[in-house]
């Protein structure tokens, strides 16, 4: 091992200290984690605007399908369960990463991906059902907003799945290094974030739609 | 180093602003419409404008003077004997002053603003005992349609109103959003498809007042001007009679044609299809304005009962036969305390 | 980026436990169950129900942030937490104030 | 062939539209041929590719932003001249209504998004890493992506003029006017997609600089040691990352309406056009502060340097920056007071808007008192700064007047408003960016811009400004609306409009002087051999001009505000000279062509969607995804500059201590 070269920045020149969680130890990686948190903050605003739009046109059904008429309780209950659980298993993969347990990490990733796929499958199924019954997003402002909000979340989840899979490959190939550790941590941050968004979707869209 | 520039610049600026002041001061004739209001609403707004100009002037003018003084006094010129304290960079006292003064000013201006904002949502207080007249305004591409539900007539690109009577303009659009503005009577409000908004205006002097759409709606927008003609009560009545007697009726087909994008002159109609105004709103999604439905069925709660003659050919309700909550709409009347 | 030896094994570092994750998972399930239960059984009036649902969702944010996303950990000052909180405030401001503005609430008040 | 071709030429190349289009076509063709010829003749293709297109060096990216911003200032300015020419006399037929509408739309959009934004990004890039003692930004690769997204978005937007037609629904582009029913052409799609693409780039820049500033300061540099330009970057980036998502959503939903048949903002099927207005201004208002905050940062640097005095009230300056960025988030509805949203809403937003004046005023007073008891050198950056104060104070004051909601019922969409925002945008942003450009020009290029020509530019631009925009306040009071392509002769607006147009021409002369000044100074400008031509105060002036590729051979340790000034005062400047034995290999990011290709892929996608060509659109997006995946799997993206190379470079610069 050669001497640590000067980092590209001055800050904490290449000091790795081991009282921090693994993903934060290399300053090159810890700055990326900060960057990702900032990204999450903007993504949150993105969803905030979609929620705002949904709330404003929620009742604008133009005589077409209403929230009450299209939401299917068992469907979104199951979706919720899958996603909450996948957030948990995602968390366990972070734990495995921090413990340096590559095998557990890969397995928990696989479980998480499977749960995510199940979630997406259900959502696609729900959407297909809606469209088949005439509830398309061209039908009314309410449906435009509904499909866009839920669909944006769904496409985020899809991106997350691809990304998690890519990360899994890298961990499998390279083991747990500061770089892969950071990647594992970040993809999980994203995943938990999507879980929070889903909590708001089922609260604001599905549950409120049932009662209002 | 050349340093002679800033004072010269200061002077030229002062001259410029002085010249502008003169321009304003002498020019408050008819052409400075905003500064020459012809009704209580415009006056109230002008009052706020003047108020705000004075209040901001209290800080801005000293700032300008201070700037010119400082730049002139502390310029880097050989032999300049002004004090030089390169490390002096904090002063609690001074900072309190310039956090404080603007706070006070914003407080005062904010209070005036709040008061005026709330006041303008009601008919002008001066003529509180006069029965208002309702005029329904629809902005089209690129013309203005005025309907008089009380009188049963309609006009295009001009409107007559009696002086001394509060006018309740109900505004909507059957085209891209526009804004209804008659500077001498008072400020504007948007005309939006699918919504009906209210704007109270009143003229207390007879005259012809320039009006124009103020929100861009495409190629013909520049030609969307109209006149509001304020006359005495009797002249107004006579004008209504004359329009009733000598003008054609506006038919549904005629409206469809009017709606087509075009730039036209003025027109008058002796009547208009019943429910045209509300039909326009509902057709474009007005059913989502929560408050328009619930109590009265009129897009504006007070819309049909502020004027006693409201149930004529301009009946606000007949256009809504396709609506589901007809029952809710019949509960008109008693809830309104409008004078 | 040079890969430094030794990091993968974390010699002598305390082993992280799964307890935190399990607690987080259970709390999120419980919060969800309460929300679903309240909303689907019509035990409350709509207004208060919406408030309760929103509070429950807010608690879920805390659960995910604390138990799963380790918001309290990090390297240096907690800038990420600062920005997240600011973002949350702005998010709620946009959503709620848009409803406030676009609901034309004073549309009625204008008249009375 | 001819008839098919003629149809194509008619529809997309707009050959029936007259000499302006032909002229532009010819000009574009000539310029393109010229560029290709010059590059080939001087064998510069490789150089262009290696040194610029694939670069991830923040200094070069900054320079590319700067060049684009100046070009866009020219384009937007030429638009402005056309607008003013049309308005010079009543009933003018120099431009048709359609052309006028397109021109003010592109003028506003270009000036805000493709002139002001890249201009501030140019300064962020050039200055911030140098000021905080870093070797690059936190994410150099992402930084290059941001630039290329901006660049290709600007290309896409400008392409509309000669291919398919420009947008014409104004820079705010309110539906339903901007919906398919009223605006079927591709112009509006160009607007939507170009803004979307550049918006993504801007968010990335915001994140990038926040991470840079919070994580990569030189050791010892506490937050409260940071130069105020860096602080202003923080403030602006905070607003960027929280405001741009709203723009992204607003225009994404409008795009869905136009291309995929949804009904967010249509007047059919329950759409609500006002929601677009609402979302647009959730971004739009903070946006104006995004562009003005960095200008405030520039003024703070310039004032301290040229008054030869510490900035007055540093802590208040920082606090007011932060307050402005937070409050500016809660004022957006002041752009639609006249929507009728009720007195409580209007009052809230009116008072919130006025509140912004308080921290802004604090800044003004602090600048004044920085000059007070200083020694003011009238250099070009300082001239623009001094000119800024009255211009911005008056513009801000009229802003406060606009914020009084019921008064705004009378000003809204009138020329009073036009005058207000040009006063703050030009007096605040453009003056600031020019001051910054003059100030840091030697740092970028190693020579100063000519002072004499600069003064000519300054006076023409300033006098022109007042001549152009002061009459517009009066026109507002006379009831003249914005966005009218012409006006009748009997309104009494004739004289003032003519004066205003003359003012615009004088400003154009000022701009021409800037161009001449740059060209002249390339050859004759005073070379900067010391690296500190202005007797500066902050870290960037401790470096040679232009700074070496890696900025700092050895990262300095910072112990106070205005470090460089302190060291100079104490005669300790040698401490910042690197010693050969301290130099270690420097870790730097590798160049990459992928950001360029990613921008290109976005361009293809945007172009596809503009013309409703789904296959092309999704093909472009596939390209984007491919770039992202390739990046995710990339490990080998950095290298080390060996010690001897650093030592050599420093030695030739004469800096080895
Ligand atoms: C850089 C750009 C910039 C800046 C800095 C500002 C600053 C301000 N603006 Fe402006 N504004 C625009 C760009 C900008 N604006 C644009 C582009 C539009 C129109 C968009 C469009 O419709 O196309 C617009 C429109 C606009 C409107 C909408 C009007 C309408 O559409 O009808 C309003 C209304 O409140 C407003 C208010 C303000 C206020 C209160 C400030 C304040 O921040 C100003 C604060 C500054 C000062 C007050 C001066 C300094 C202070 C002192 C010296 C001491 C303290 C003084 C007092 C307390 C009085 N602006
Ligand atoms: C930073 C932003 C910025 C800047 C710098 C400017 C600069 C100028 N603007 Fe702009 N303007 C806006 C932002 C800006 N504007 C916005 C957002 C709008 C609203 C758009 C909308 O309604 O949608 C607007 C609208 C607007 C209008 C109103 C149009 C209308 O509503 O009908 C006018 C009219 O006078 C105008 C004039 C000018 C002038 C004369 C300049 C001058 O400062 C320009 C100075 C000139 C140059 C810097 C370059 C000089 C050019 C040459 C040397 C080339 C000469 C070539 C020829 C003559 C062909 N602008
Ligand atoms: Cu604003």
């Amino acid at each position: 091992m050669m001497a640590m070269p000067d980092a590209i920045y001055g800050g904490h020149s290449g000091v790795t200290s081991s009282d921090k969680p693994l993903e934060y130890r290399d300053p090159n990686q810890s700055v990326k984690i900060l960057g990702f948190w900032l990204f999450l903050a903007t993504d949150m605003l993105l969803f905030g605007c979609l929620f705002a739009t949904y709330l404003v046109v929620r009742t604008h059904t133009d005589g077409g399908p209403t929230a009450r008429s299209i939401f299917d309780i068992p469907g979104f209950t199951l979706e919720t369960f899958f996603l909450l659980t996948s957030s948990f298993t995602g968390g366990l993969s972070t734990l495995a990463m921090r413990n340096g347990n590559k095998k557990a990490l890969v397995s928990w990733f696989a479980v998480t991906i499977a749960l995510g796929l199940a979630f997406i499958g259900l959502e696609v199924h729900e959407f297909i059902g809606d469209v088949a019954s005439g509830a398309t997003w061209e039908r009314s402002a309410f449906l435009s907003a509904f499909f866009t909000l839920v669909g944006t979340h769904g496409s985020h989840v899809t991106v997350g799945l691809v990304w998690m899979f890519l990360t899994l490959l890298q961990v499998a190939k390279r083991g747990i290094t500061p770089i892969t550790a950071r990647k594992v941590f970040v993809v999980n941050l994203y995943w938990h974030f999507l879980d929070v968004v889903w909590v708001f979707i089922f609260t604001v869209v599905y549950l409120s739609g049932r009662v209002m | 180093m050349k340093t002679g520039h800033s004072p010269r610049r200061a002077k030229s600026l002062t001259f410029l602003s002085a010249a502008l002041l003169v321009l304003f001061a002498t020019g408050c004739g008819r052409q400075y419409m905003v500064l020459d209001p012809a009704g209580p609403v415009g006056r109230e707004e002008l009052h706020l404008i003047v108020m705000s100009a004075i209040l901001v002037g209290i800080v801005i003018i000293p700032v300008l003077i201070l700037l010119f003084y400082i730049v002139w006094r502390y310029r880097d010129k050989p032999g300049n004997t002004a004090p030089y304290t390169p490390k002096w960079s904090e002063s609690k006292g001074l900072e309190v002053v310039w956090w404080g003064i603007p706070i006070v000013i914003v407080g005062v201006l904010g209070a005036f603003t709040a008061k005026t904002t709330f006041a303008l949502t009601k008919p002008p207080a001066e003529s509180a005992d006069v029965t208002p007249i309702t005029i329904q305004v629809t902005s089209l591409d690129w013309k203005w349609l005025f309907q008089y539900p009380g009188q049963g007539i309609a006009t295009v690109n001009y409107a007559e109103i009696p002086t001394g009577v509060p006018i309740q303009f109900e505004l909507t659009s059957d085209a891209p959003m526009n804004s209804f503005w008659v500077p001498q009577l008072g400020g504007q409000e948007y005309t939006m498809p699918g919504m009906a908004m209210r704007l109270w205006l009143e003229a207390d002097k007879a005259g012809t007042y320039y009006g124009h759409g103020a929100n861009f709606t495409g190629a013909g927008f520049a030609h969307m001007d109209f006149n509001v003609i304020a006359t005495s009560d009797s002249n107004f009545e006579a004008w209504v009679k004359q329009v009733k007697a000598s003008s054609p009726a506006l038919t549904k087909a005629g409206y469809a044609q009017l709606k087509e994008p075009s730039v036209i002159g003025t027109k008058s109609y002796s009547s208009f299809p019943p429910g045209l105004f509300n039909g326009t709103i509902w057709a474009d999604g007005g059913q989502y304005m929560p408050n328009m439905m619930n109590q009265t069925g009129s897009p504006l709660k007070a819309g049909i009962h502020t004027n006693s003659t409201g149930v004529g050919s301009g009946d606000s309700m007949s256009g809504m036969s396709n609506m589901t909550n007809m029952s809710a709409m019949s509960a008109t009347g008693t809830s309104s305390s409008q004078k | 980026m040079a890969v430094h030896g030794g990091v993968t094994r974390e010699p002598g570092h305390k082993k992280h436990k799964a307890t935190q994750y399990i607690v987080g998972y259970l709390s999120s399930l419980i919060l969800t169950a309460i929300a679903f239960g309240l909303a689907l059984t019509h035990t409350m009036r709509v207004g208060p129900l919406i408030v309760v649902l929103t509070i429950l969702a807010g608690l879920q944010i805390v659960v995910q942030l604390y138990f799963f996303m380790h918001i309290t950990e990090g390297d240096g000052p907690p800038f990420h937490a600062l920005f997240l909180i600011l973002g949350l405030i702005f998010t709620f401001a946009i959503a709620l104030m848009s409803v406030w503005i676009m609901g034309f609430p004073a549309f009625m008040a204008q008249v009375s | 062939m001819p008839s098919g071709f003629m149809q194509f030429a008619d529809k997309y190349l707009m050959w029936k539209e007259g000499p302006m289009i032909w002229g532009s076509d010819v000009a574009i063709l000539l310029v393109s041929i010229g560029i290709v010829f010059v590059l080939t003749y001087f064998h510069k293709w490789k150089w262009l590719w290696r040194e610029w297109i694939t670069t991830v060096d923040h200094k070069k990216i900054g320079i590319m932003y700067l060049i684009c911003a100046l070009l866009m200032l020219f384009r937007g300015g030429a638009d402005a001249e056309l607008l003013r020419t049309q308005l010079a006399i009543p009933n003018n037929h120099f431009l048709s209504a359609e052309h006028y509408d397109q021109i003010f739309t592109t003028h506003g959009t270009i000036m805000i998004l493709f002139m002001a934004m890249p201009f501030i990004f140019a300064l962020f890039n050039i200055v911030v890493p140098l000021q905080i003692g870093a070797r690059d930004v936190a994410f150099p690769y992402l930084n290059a992506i941001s630039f290329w997204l901006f660049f290709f978005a600007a290309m896409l937007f400008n392409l509309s003029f000669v291919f398919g037609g420009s947008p014409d629904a104004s820079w705010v582009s309110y539906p339903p006017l901007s919906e398919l029913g009223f605006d079927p052409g591709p112009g509006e799609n160009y607007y939507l997609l170009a803004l979307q693409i550049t918006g993504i780039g801007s968010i990335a820049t915001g994140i990038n600089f926040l991470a840079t500033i919070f994580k990569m300061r030189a050791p010892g540099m506490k937050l409260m040691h940071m130069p105020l330009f860096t602080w202003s970057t923080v403030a602006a980036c905070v607003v960027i990352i929280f405001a741009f998502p709203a723009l992204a959503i607003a225009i994404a939903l409008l795009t869905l309406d136009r291309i995929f048949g949804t009904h967010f903002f249509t007047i059919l099927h329950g759409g609500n056009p006002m929601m677009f207005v609402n979302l647009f201004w959730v971004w739009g208002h903070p946006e104006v502060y995004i562009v003005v905050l960095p200008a405030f940062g520039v003024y703070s640097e310039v004032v301290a340097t040229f008054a030869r005095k510490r900035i007055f009230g540093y802590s208040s300056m920082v606090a007011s920056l932060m307050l402005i960025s937070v409050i500016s988030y809660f004022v957006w509805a002041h752009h639609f007071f006249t929507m009728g949203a009720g007195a409580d809403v209007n009052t809230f937003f009116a008072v919130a808007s006025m509140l912004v004046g308080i921290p802004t005023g604090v800044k003004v007073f602090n600048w004044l008192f920085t000059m007070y008891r200083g020694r003011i050198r009238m250099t070009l950056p300082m001239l623009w700064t001094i000119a800024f104060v009255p211009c911005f104070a008056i513009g801000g004051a009229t802003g406060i007047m606009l914020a009084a909601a019921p008064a705004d019922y009378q000003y809204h969409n009138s020329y009073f408003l036009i005058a207000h925002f040009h006063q703050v945008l030009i007096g605040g942003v453009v003056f600031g960016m020019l001051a910054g450009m003059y100030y840091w020009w030697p740092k970028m290029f190693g020579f100063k811009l000519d002072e004499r020509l600069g003064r000519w530019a300054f006076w023409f631009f300033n006098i022109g400004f007042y001549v152009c925009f002061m009459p517009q306040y009066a026109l507002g009071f006379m009831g003249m609306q914005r966005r009218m392509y012409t006006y009748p002769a009997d309104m009494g607006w004739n004289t003032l409009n003519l004066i205003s147009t003359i003012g615009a021409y004088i400003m154009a002369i000022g701009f021409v002087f800037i161009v001449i000044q740059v060209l002249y100074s390339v050859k004759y400008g005073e070379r900067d051999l010391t690296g500190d031509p202005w007797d500066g105060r902050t870290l960037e002036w401790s470096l040679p001009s232009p700074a070496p590729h890696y900025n700092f051979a050895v990262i300095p340790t910072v112990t106070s505000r205005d470090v460089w000034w302190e060291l100079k005062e104490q005669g300790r400047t040698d401490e910042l000279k690197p010693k050969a034995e301290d130099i270690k290999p420097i870790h730097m990011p590798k160049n990459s062509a992928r950001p360029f290709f990613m921008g290109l892929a976005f361009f293809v996608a945007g172009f596809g969607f503009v013309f409703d060509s789904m296959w092309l659109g999704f093909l472009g997006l596939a390209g984007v995804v491919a770039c992202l995946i390739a990046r995710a799997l990339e490990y080998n993206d950095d290298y080390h500059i060996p010690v001897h190379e650093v030592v050599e470079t420093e030695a030739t610069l004469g800096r080895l201590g």
Side-chain angles (χ1 to χ4, degrees), chain B residues 84 128 187 212 251-252 288:
Chain B
Y84 172 52
H212 199 290
T251 58
K252 278 226 158 78
Y288 308 112

Side-chain angles (χ1 to χ4, degrees), chain D residues 73-85 87 100 104-105 107-109 111-112 115-116 169-172 415 418 421-422 425-426 429-430 461 465 468-469 472 481-485 500 503-505 507-509 511-512:
Chain D
L73 178 60
F74 176 78
R75 157 91 213 254
D79 281 346
E81 301 304 324
L82 293 171
L83 295 177
R84 283 309 330 163
T85 306
L87 293 176
Y100 186 88
F104 72 68
T105 302
H107 166 70
T109 313
M111 283 299 200
I112 303 265
M115 189 284 284
S170 93
W171 87 284
V172 301
Y415 264 79
I418 302 282
F421 74 70
H422 281 93
L425 277 170
I426 296 179
V429 182
V430 176
F461 208 83
F465 175 84
C468 182
F469 290 105
Q472 294 188 1
Q481 295 84 17
R482 69 193 295 192
R483 298 173 183 153
M484 292 175 90
Y485 81 98
S500 175
Y505 291 159
M507 290 178 90
I509 298 176
F511 185 82
V512 171

Side-chain angles (χ1 to χ4, degrees), chain A residues 40-78:
Chain A
L40 286 186
T42 62
D43 216 24
M44 185 159 74
L45 264 292
L46 201 89
F47 278 106
C49 295
L50 287 173
F51 274 109
T53 311
Y54 177 81
L55 284 170
V56 167
V57 298
R58 195 169 44 86
T59 55
H60 293 208
T61 51
D62 189 35
T66 61
R68 193 185 278 275
S69 71
I70 63 167
F71 295 160
D72 143 49
I73 302 174
F76 72 76
T77 312
L78 209 55

